[in-house]
Amino acid sequence: MAELLEIAKLGNSILRQIAQPVSNVTDATVQALINSLIATATSANGVGIAAPQVSQSYRLFILASRPNSRYPNAPLMEATAIINPKIVVHSDEVIKGWEGCLSVPGIRGLVPRSRAIAVEYYDRYGNLQRQEFTDFVARIFQHELDHLNGIVFLDRVESDRDLLTEEEYQRLLQNI
Ligand code: ZN
């Protein structure tokens, strides 16, 4: 059973640091961190989690989109470790969508993101992957990559009026 890790919250300086590249993907400590990140994201109903959010300042995050109580409309995908990622191409089209963050509990914000991205990353076996993501999964990827650069979603919200409490966000979902 993978260990559940404590999530750093807004105000913790680890969330504002530039994370360092992972040098040896297949190292046992990196593999254990990946397992713990997946278990922690799943347990917290997250659709992604970045290593700096558990106070490990490495360029590694988990994409784990699946429908849950925090994101009822999320597409289902297998939890995937994304290591030393790069966005190679951004679509010109930018759309705003609601985001939350395990490090910013209780708040949702409307965040502009590229609708589609082409990316490169290493998987947990050390293989280079090239992929394209669109819509919600592209949004998660951009949100998690920001964590590796010391950025949180609140930094990208264009107006305070684009912020909601979790309670009001859940009410909004009921009415869509
Ligand atoms: Zn986050």
Side-chain angles (χ1 to χ4, degrees), residues 28-142:
T29 57
V30 174
Q31 294 294 318
L33 175 59
I34 289 168
N35 293 337
S36 296
L37 282 166
I38 292 171
T40 303
T42 304
S43 147
N45 286 324
V47 289
I49 191 168
Q53 290 182 273
V54 298
S55 302
Q56 299 290 321
S57 196
Y58 291 103
R59 304 191 78 77
L60 156 64
F61 64 78
I62 306 297
L63 266 185
S65 177
R66 64 194 175 90
N68 62 40
S69 57
R70 291 181 68 243
Y71 295 94
N73 302 316
L76 181 64
M77 65 180 286
E78 197 180 334
T80 306
I82 307 284
I83 299 154
N84 298 339
K86 273 196 297 203
I87 295 178
V88 185
V89 185
H90 286 87
S91 63
D92 291 335
E93 188 185 356
V94 170
I95 48 175
K96 283 190 184 181
W98 291 104
E99 295 184 17
C101 181
L102 297 175
S103 294
V104 188
I107 301 286
R108 299 288 182 137
L110 206 46
V111 184
R113 301 280 186 192
S114 299
R115 196 182 79 77
I117 50 175
V119 306
E120 285 181 4
Y121 63 92
Y122 288 87
D123 65 19
R124 68 179 302 168
Y125 309 104
N127 300 316
L128 180 65
Q129 300 287 338
R130 292 191 170 90
Q131 265 182 290
E132 290 180 16
F133 294 114
T134 56
D135 298 308
F136 189 65
V137 178
R139 176 170 297 283
I140 305 170
F141 195 103
Q142 292 169 83

